[in-house]
Amino acid sequence: MEQRRIEGKGHWYHETQSNAWAQDVLPLVPEAAHVEDRFLLDLPISEDALFPFQSWLHPARQLAHILFPIHAHQNQMNTFSDYERMSTALTVAQVCGVQRLCNHYAARLAPLPGPDSSRESNHRLAQITQYARQLASSPAVIDARARQHLDDVGLTAWDSVLLNQIVGFVGFQARVVAVFQAFLGQPVRWVPGLDMQPFAPALPFAASEATWHPAHVAVALRQACDGQQASLSRHQPVAELQRLSPVLAHEPDLLSRLSTLMTSSLRTEVPKNAFAFATLLTARINGSVACFNEQAQRSVECAPFIATLRQDEREIQQWERRHPVERITLQAIQWLTRAPNRFSDAQFNALSGHDFSSEQAINLLSWCGLCGWLNRLKIALGETH
């Protein structure tokens, strides 16, 4: 394969193969790399306004530092480089199309030394980039073959968990930033050429009894290190993480913060029906049959809506038209899940003016972003059958 001699890593749409030029190549917005808040990226919002959300903003900010340290430690089990971490983050930011994230991760990627120019390194980075883009844009296409491609280019179980956590986290971050930008009334800036994420195929959702099974080697409690044992015992009782925890325990710090997010005010400050609708609809859009079935078992009061969601998108649209009250909530969830770059104050104000306070609306919509993260982990790290 001919190597492309184009310096592109300073821009939003970067090349997976690039060489170092004699002169320094600056990103589009170099100052975007230097922010105090690595999660909200210094959005102009007061600490007083953010105070009600500290139970989940605090672990989210911690995750931003854990996933993207100044220099990541590598060994035989953890081979993911600083460049691969930041390149993956930029790929997901590009898919989401939220300009603030694109600027930030492009600016942080630009000064990092890229991989060597060998065929193996190029192939590895190309596979990582392709996988991240697919998981971020159309998670339902990820299957055993996609996981095998990562294994073929030398990713370990630890690397795979980290890669999927990065994709999930940045997708969550993009949607939270989009929500707060809408709350502030900031104008939407579309990135040209981005399509809205489609609904996942309906056929797999007909299997109402299907359950999730891990595709990666789980961490056995008797063989786990102290950190992994503590993480498993503390966080496995969280319903959404019960089956995932033994796999995610490869990176116990990430599991700990994710568990804190799952039990934060994101879910406790949201009306029960809206919480169930958000969890079900995001799982249906992203194609996570496991997440959908688990929530369906806990939401028997939503049986008619659940039956509709198991069908195709046209049936879902017809159900919305017959339920104008619920439609406002569902439309906001869909816009944020399928096209975060297009989520604006119009959708936010419609939701917050409809039986929701601004605080409840922010929690509900941010929960949708967290559900998208969990959906992708279930799809990427296992099979549902």
Side-chain angles (χ1 to χ4, degrees):
M1 180 173 63
E2 180 182 357
Q3 294 188 15
R4 300 184 64 179
R5 296 299 180 183
I6 301 173
E7 176 61 51
K9 67 190 176 87
H11 299 270
W12 289 357
Y13 291 87
H14 65 289
E15 299 290 339
T16 58
Q17 298 174 348
S18 60
N19 67 316
W21 283 24
Q23 68 273 24
D24 291 333
V25 178
L26 296 177
L28 293 175
V29 188
E31 65 274 14
H34 308 291
V35 293
E36 292 186 11
D37 186 344
R38 290 280 185 87
F39 183 66
L40 292 182
L41 306 180
D42 288 356
L43 269 171
I45 182 170
S46 69
E47 285 301 317
D48 288 342
L50 293 175
F51 181 77
F53 314 110
Q54 290 306 313
S55 72
W56 56 271
L57 281 178
H58 180 65
R61 287 164 170 155
Q62 289 179 319
L63 279 162
H65 287 273
I66 295 171
L67 287 168
F68 308 112
I70 296 176
H71 180 66
H73 176 69
Q74 291 178 264
N75 54 40
Q76 287 185 335
M77 294 293 99
N78 298 278
T79 70
F80 228 58
S81 68
D82 294 328
Y83 186 93
E84 288 168 341
R85 289 178 186 236
M86 209 58 66
S87 173
T88 300
L90 178 56
T91 296
V92 180
Q94 292 169 354
V95 169
C96 296
V98 178
Q99 186 179 18
R100 186 175 292 269
L101 262 73
C102 293
N103 289 341
H104 175 72
Y105 288 115
R108 293 185 65 184
L109 176 67
L112 295 178
D116 62 63
S117 59
S118 68
R119 182 183 297 271
E120 290 78 10
S121 294
N122 288 333
H123 184 48
R124 174 182 164 110
L125 186 57
Q127 288 294 338
I128 291 171
T129 302
Q130 176 179 293
Y131 179 92
R133 182 172 289 114
Q134 289 178 331
L135 183 58
S137 61
S138 302
V141 306
I142 297 298
D143 55 13
R145 183 179 180 183
R147 289 188 287 271
Q148 184 60 49
H149 288 327
L150 295 181
D151 185 64
D152 291 343
V153 295
L155 267 66
T156 66
W158 281 259
D159 294 332
S160 293
V161 169
L162 177 61
L163 169 59
N164 288 297
Q165 290 279 38
I166 289 174
V167 173
F169 170 80
V170 177
F172 169 61
Q173 181 185 24
R175 287 164 176 85
V176 172
V177 168
V179 169
F180 277 110
Q181 288 181 159
F183 169 71
L184 294 170
Q186 293 186 358
V188 171
R189 295 180 176 89
W190 290 11
V191 177
L194 289 182
D195 295 326
M196 179 180 287
Q197 179 182 332
F199 268 77
L203 183 60
F205 287 87
S208 60
E209 302 299 323
T211 56
W212 186 84
H213 305 271
H216 290 275
V217 176
V219 175
L221 189 59
R222 64 181 181 277
Q223 298 174 338
C225 67
D226 292 343
Q228 292 171 332
Q229 287 181 354
S231 184
L232 281 171
S233 60
R234 186 182 307 118
H235 306 298
Q236 200 166 8
V238 178
E240 290 85 356
L241 298 176
Q242 193 170 40
R243 291 177 176 268
L244 267 172
S245 291
V247 178
L248 297 181
H250 285 294
E251 292 287 349
D253 288 344
L254 300 180
L255 172 58
S256 177
R257 271 65 176 192
L258 178 58
S259 178
T260 303
L261 285 172
M262 299 295 300
T263 55
S264 69
S265 63
L266 275 179
R267 66 189 305 165
T268 57
E269 299 300 323
V270 173
K272 184 177 179 182
N273 283 348
F275 170 84
F277 276 28
T279 306
L280 290 164
L281 185 55
T282 52
R284 174 63 184 85
I285 293 169
N286 290 321
S288 179
V289 178
C291 293
F292 185 93
N293 286 344
E294 289 169 9
Q295 183 61 42
Q297 293 173 3
R298 297 190 289 266
S299 306
V300 292
E301 70 280 2
C302 301
F305 181 57
I306 292 170
T308 301
L309 284 180
R310 294 191 186 277
Q311 302 178 60
D312 60 27
E313 184 179 356
R314 183 172 55 183
E315 295 296 326
I316 297 171
Q317 292 173 345
Q318 291 178 356
W319 190 94
E320 287 182 3
R321 285 193 286 268
R322 296 193 300 269
H323 298 79
V325 175
E326 291 84 356
R327 178 175 181 153
I328 296 172
T329 302
L330 298 179
Q331 285 290 305
I333 294 169
Q334 284 194 60
W335 274 107
L336 185 65
T337 302
R338 302 177 66 186
N341 63 311
R342 304 184 195 181
F343 188 82
S344 69
D345 57 346
Q347 289 86 33
F348 182 85
N349 292 334
L351 181 62
S352 61
H354 169 66
D355 295 334
F356 288 92
S357 66
S358 293
E359 181 180 328
Q360 288 176 320
I362 289 171
N363 277 319
L364 174 64
L365 293 167
S366 299
W367 172 258
C368 295
L370 185 57
C371 286
W373 182 352
L374 188 66
N375 297 159
R376 286 170 171 82
L377 289 178
K378 282 286 182 73
I379 291 169
L381 296 174
E383 300 285 350
T384 301
H385 52 78

